[in-house]
Amino acid sequence: MKLLTVNVGRPRTVDYTDAPGGATGIDKQPADGPVRVADPGPKGTGGSGLAGDAVCDLRHHGGSDQAVYAFAREELDVWERELGRPLANGAFGENLTTSGLDVSGARIGERWRIGPDLVLEVTSSRIPCRTFAGHVDEKRWVKRFTQAAAPGAYLRVIEPGEIRSGDPVEIVHRPDHDVTVELDFLASTTRRELLPKLLAARDALHPETLRAALNHVEKAAADD
């Protein structure tokens, strides 16, 4: 398992985002050298965990629990065949393009060591949005990406560090529950009845997902 590229994006004004100011940092490009990764701070004020990487819509992106976004090269290859065009590393706005790692099959709370120092923890799945659809520029993109249910993973920073393309990736902790990124995605999108199952991951969940799962359980109990 290894990190193929570390990808960062600069702000760019586009006509397909509703972010304040009309800018997005989704167009990620592989960095030439090492990149420092650290906790960016709470959502709403903190942006990306990667130095030099822009997050332009702090309402929905960035912050401690969405500090880093990872996507598997293997899944990009699947989409290359589906779309009939090449997709470079970073094409889906991911900070980390990995090889040999089942990103969407990772468990919430799973921890990865990348390079000598950085430790990340899986928190949640990526939910497709208008900006993502505009960036990819494919018809019915949100629906197609949702149906594939291989969303890639957001991660929080447990131990900061410097990483670079080619660094090894090691899974240093895997929880004993079965709450995967894929399950998190399904429960958060097309199969809301699965939300209670996410509670097995409890405090490792993204706080917004945890609230949604708890609210679902409370509502179901009130309806009984």
Side-chain angles (χ1 to χ4, degrees):
M1 299 180 292
K2 70 177 181 178
L3 178 62
L4 292 180
T5 54
V6 185
N7 313 305
V8 297
R10 296 185 180 279
R12 187 162 62 93
T13 301
V14 297
D15 60 5
Y16 52 74
T17 184
D18 59 0
T24 176
I26 197 171
D27 185 19
K28 310 293 188 196
Q29 302 294 325
D32 291 332
V35 177
R36 179 75 179 171
V37 183
D39 183 352
K43 188 173 182 178
T45 57
S48 174
L50 282 76
D53 181 47
V55 171
C56 299
D57 191 349
L58 298 179
R59 300 171 303 170
H60 306 300
H61 302 290
S64 297
D65 299 296
Q66 295 173 196
V68 180
Y69 175 51
F71 201 78
R73 180 65 242 184
E74 291 84 352
E75 292 297 334
L76 284 175
D77 291 342
V78 171
W79 281 112
E80 277 194 342
R81 294 190 290 272
E82 171 75 17
L83 301 178
R85 61 184 174 96
L87 294 170
N89 292 348
F92 281 8
E94 75 272 14
N95 299 117
L96 311 179
T97 309
T98 65
S99 175
L101 186 64
D102 185 3
V103 177
S104 295
R107 298 176 189 178
I108 303 298
E110 185 173 300
R111 293 187 176 186
W112 306 345
R113 182 180 297 279
I114 305 178
D117 300 314
L118 181 66
V119 178
L120 302 176
E121 182 176 85
V122 176
T123 65
S124 60
S125 57
R126 185 251 195 90
I127 307 298
C129 64
R130 174 183 171 183
T131 302
F132 185 29
H135 175 65
V136 175
D137 193 24
E138 291 285 344
K139 293 181 179 179
R140 301 171 54 252
W141 179 249
V142 169
K143 183 175 182 179
R144 293 166 73 182
F145 188 82
T146 300
Q147 288 175 334
Y154 280 119
L155 304 101
R156 59 174 65 97
V157 179
I158 302 301
E159 298 178 15
E162 197 173 74
I163 57 174
R164 67 183 69 214
S165 300
D167 274 346
V169 179
E170 178 188 5
I171 299 173
V172 295
H173 170 69
R174 179 172 282 150
D176 59 7
H177 59 68
D178 60 357
V179 181
T180 63
V181 171
E182 179 184 2
L183 178 62
D184 175 278
F185 181 75
L186 292 171
S188 299
T189 54
T190 60
R191 298 190 58 191
R192 303 286 287 180
E193 74 276 8
L194 295 175
L195 279 168
K197 290 184 177 291
L198 302 185
L199 293 175
R202 201 71 186 192
D203 293 340
L205 291 166
H206 190 296
E208 294 172 7
T209 308
L210 177 58
R211 284 195 296 272
L214 291 172
N215 289 340
H216 185 91
V217 171
E218 289 172 7
K219 185 177 184 302
D223 291 342
D224 285 346

